[in-house]
Amino acid sequence: MDKETPKPFGGTVDDAEIAKFAAMAEEWWDPDGKFKPLHKFNPVRIAFIRDRLCTHFERDPLAPEPLKGLAILDIGCGGGLLCEPLARLGAEVTGIDATERSVHVAAAHAEQMGLEIDYRFTSVEDLAQGDKRFDAVMNMEVVEHVADVDTFLRASAELVSRDGMMFLATLNRTAKSYALAIVGAEYVLGWLPRGTHDWKKFVKPSELAAALRPAGMELTELTGVAYNPIRDQWSLSPKDLAVNYMGIAKRG
């Protein structure tokens, strides 16, 4: 498909951001391609999500399908790098994205893998107008790409069931994050195409908390995620929120 179908939505969707990811959509499942950092980051975020969901819903994280029966929404699902592992853990997964090419790539890959995942080309605002609610809503590496964080999180919160949870992962707006995530990752190391991130759109934890509060949700946990270049792997770093961080929000 050479052109994106005109979007039936607007609001929080940033057209410039959509264009960036449309241009890279065919590389979602290439572990050595433009999404290589996300492939490296995936294991730590999947483990974090699995463990926190199992604690909240009183599941055994070591069970073959510990998330069986839980309805999970992945907002900004891209090519499905998070959706597929969650589906293998037993969850009933819905993935939405405002980049149509990414949705097609995700759906085709899931079919090849024999996984049933409900992928939709839509926005969070449009989905929130329906009746479906989820045990867990994922906002992983997406908040820093939307046009209106407050509106986006308010719509996301509407999709969380009464006893549900929201997971978030984003980048803090600090001098350290500019040095590492912009200069280092994009210009020096070449981990990401130049211009992938806009430092001005990075979100401080305090801003995240402030945006969630009017939506009736409170941050209950924050943890940093740090990269070890010697081991070439990511790990949780609870005391270092200066660059990458993840959080959990629940109804207040």
Side-chain angles (χ1 to χ4, degrees), residues 28 38 45 74-83 94-98 102-103 106 118-120 138 140 142:
W28 273 109
L38 199 53
R45 66 177 184 166
D74 184 18
I75 300 173
C77 64
L81 298 190
L82 185 58
C83 289
T94 299
I96 68 170
D97 204 287
S102 293
V103 173
D118 182 9
Y119 284 115
R120 305 183 192 183
M138 305 292 146
M140 311 297 281
V142 66

Side-chain angles (χ1 to χ4, degrees), residues 24-40 79 81 105 109 191:
M24 300 187 288
E26 304 305 321
E27 296 194 40
W28 273 109
W29 287 98
D30 180 358
D32 295 314
K34 294 176 181 177
F35 293 103
K36 181 177 180 178
L38 199 53
H39 282 268
K40 295 283 188 182
L81 298 190
V105 168
H109 195 272
W191 284 354

Side-chain angles (χ1 to χ4, degrees), residues 84-139:
E84 290 199 9
L86 292 174
R88 289 191 176 94
L89 290 171
E92 298 170 4
V93 181
T94 299
I96 68 170
D97 204 287
T99 303
E100 190 176 16
R101 286 187 181 179
S102 293
V103 173
H104 288 315
V105 168
H109 195 272
E111 184 177 3
Q112 292 172 1
M113 296 295 105
L115 295 170
E116 292 187 12
I117 298 172
D118 182 9
Y119 284 115
R120 305 183 192 183
F121 168 51
T122 188
S123 70
V124 63
E125 303 102 294
D126 286 353
L127 190 65
Q129 293 177 15
D131 297 327
K132 176 72 172 178
R133 296 298 178 261
F134 299 86
D135 298 304
V137 169
M138 305 292 146
N139 275 320

Side-chain angles (χ1 to χ4, degrees), residues 7 20 25 56 89 112 120 124 166 175 199 206:
K7 296 184 295 299
K20 291 178 190 177
H56 183 73
L89 290 171
Q112 292 172 1
R120 305 183 192 183
V124 63
M166 184 189 297
W199 181 81
S206 59

